[in-house]
Amino acid sequence: MSSKTYTGRAAFLELLIQEGVTHLFGNPGTTELPLMEVVPKYPELKYVLGLQESIVLGMADGFARATGRLTACNLHCAPGLGHAMGALYTAKFNNSPIIVTAGQYEQGYGLTEPLLYEPLVRLAEPLVKWAVEVERAEDLPRIVHRAAKIALTPPCGPVFISLPGSILDETVDMDLGQPTSVHTRTRPSEDWLAMLANRIRSAQHPVILAGQELAKYDCFEDAAALAQLIGAPVYLESVPYNTRFPANHPANMGDITRNQHKVRETLSAYDLLICLGGDLLRMSPKADVEPLPDGMPVVHISERDWELGKNYPTELAVRANVADTLTALLPILQAQQTDQDLVQAKQRLGHAQANNWSNNRDRFVATIEQRLAEQSSPASSQPTEPTHPDVAVWQVVQALPDDVIVVDETLTTNAALNKLYEAKDPKAFFGLTSGGLGFGMAGAVGVALGQPDRPVVATIGDGSSLYSIQSLWTAAHVKLPITYVILNNRSYRIIKDRLKAMRHTDQFVAMDMTDPPVDFVSIATGFGMPAVRVENASDIKAAVAAAIASGKPSLVEVVIDNGY
């Protein structure tokens, strides 16, 4: 081991680079000036400016989701960390490996309670895997390498480091050391593989719940092979982390949804639930029934042990890498399957395919096309009404190129998008995961930076967009091919829908944005981004296609019916 003389600020950036970090997302303030002083000396570390800290963290989250790699973001002391807490909550749900840092006052000065001061570790701890404040400059290598190791070890997630200015300004001799990579890809033992195979073969009507880890480890092919081998329809887990399973595969039945009554009804047709790398029925609003039918046996394979047996009894709970488990399990099942087993498996899938995603999509499109024809008919008495949301989403989907990545944060149109957008590869889709709004606008920038060779289309609700609208400036600044499609119903429609359904009233207070209306075209152009407003359904496809084809950041505001 050899030591060299470093300032704390230079050592920190060199340690990030050593850990493979290529982008530092930030919004600098006075406490971050030591880092900003040396950033120009490290051109291999691209600094990406966000105009508010929640956007900074959202961009880092999007980059981590799109690449699976470690990234970093730098926030401005206590208020900056406070601004970012909602985005940090979402990054936690996404298991995104992010080193989150914030500048802190010089050691000891906090005792005087200056402006912007608060103990940062206590603020961050509930939402990160590990939080620490650097107390000695010579500890930076140990802290940064440990933070990276923790963030990247499954279940992955954000970590936090508080950086006092006195540490960054100190000059000391230190050895930067080297990264530690923990090998965590495990598969079950032979005995457990045999138990899994026997339990799966004993089921007469198995069903698969496809989770986020299938996309993370790029094992769609093996998951599809399992579905076909045992004749199991495949539903997508209830949280839209990513693609989860190819939309166009015959076994894909679509989203399981978060409607507890509907989920319970769906699963009641089966006698074994096999959850592959996903959450086991994470729901949202409380209902008067459990989504899992009483006594239904569960097999659950995931690297996230907290999810195993968390809410429901699990007959076989396996903490393992889902890709490696499928690779080991498939040959065992293939060797055991009889000709009769294969015939029955084919029959089960054949019966299910009448209502699979592809066939349901065809029926849904036919309904939309009929609605569009009626609306545009000369005999129609409603030619100038705003576009129906389903029609608008279908027009947008038809404009998407094959290599597109969709980042979605629509709430009331999300169901239509899931029924229409044919996401096929693991990185074709990233959705809203935590329920907290604000990821979509910022996350799209991070996704585009992480996948610069693919066009990104962000479908965002008007209400959602305003949680992080300043992201438009960074999108315009980085000049990557991001098209924002704002589906504008001028209201919080999901809250209206739930108020009617759950509280049985339509007396809407503080749920409309019509007085004055929000002008998204003016907002976008004010941030330096070309924008267009579309009010007619027949113009949507062409407007979105033109924006994507430009290869530049742009915004398309689509005016849709508000439903009330």
Side-chain angles (χ1 to χ4, degrees), residues 302-472:
S302 175
E303 66 183 7
R304 295 169 297 142
D305 56 305
W306 180 257
E307 296 299 324
L308 300 173
K310 182 176 72 175
N311 291 323
Y312 304 104
T314 302
E315 185 175 328
L316 293 178
V318 181
R319 182 188 182 185
N321 179 277
V322 67
D324 295 339
T325 300
L326 288 172
T327 298
L329 181 61
L330 279 170
I332 298 173
L333 285 168
Q334 288 164 345
Q336 293 177 350
Q337 292 289 78
T338 65
D339 289 343
Q340 183 179 359
D341 291 335
L342 295 174
V343 169
Q344 291 175 345
K346 187 176 181 179
Q347 289 174 342
R348 284 196 292 269
L349 276 187
H351 291 149
Q353 283 176 23
N355 290 303
N356 68 9
W357 184 89
S358 296
N359 284 317
N360 283 336
R361 181 187 195 245
D362 290 343
R363 287 188 284 268
F364 190 37
V365 168
T367 301
I368 292 172
E369 293 287 3
Q370 181 178 356
R371 181 189 297 274
L372 184 58
E374 292 173 353
Q375 185 173 348
S376 59
S377 169
S380 174
S381 60
Q382 304 169 335
T384 60
E385 284 201 353
T387 304
H388 189 279
D390 294 347
V391 172
V393 172
W394 176 228
Q395 298 304 305
V396 172
V397 167
Q398 290 181 89
L400 301 178
D402 289 341
D403 61 342
V404 74
I405 298 174
V406 172
V407 177
D408 180 62
E409 193 169 274
T410 57
L411 299 180
T412 50
T413 58
N414 170 260
L417 182 69
N418 291 339
K419 293 175 183 178
L420 294 168
Y421 171 50
E422 194 174 41
K424 292 180 281 192
D425 73 80
K427 296 188 185 302
F429 177 81
F430 298 98
L432 175 64
T433 58
S434 70
L437 301 180
F439 168 78
M441 297 291 289
V445 179
V447 170
L449 287 166
Q451 298 290 331
D453 297 327
R454 298 180 65 170
V456 173
V457 172
T459 50
I460 314 288
D462 56 321
S464 299
S465 73
L466 296 172
Y467 282 76
S468 50
I469 197 71
Q470 305 99 310
S471 305
L472 293 175

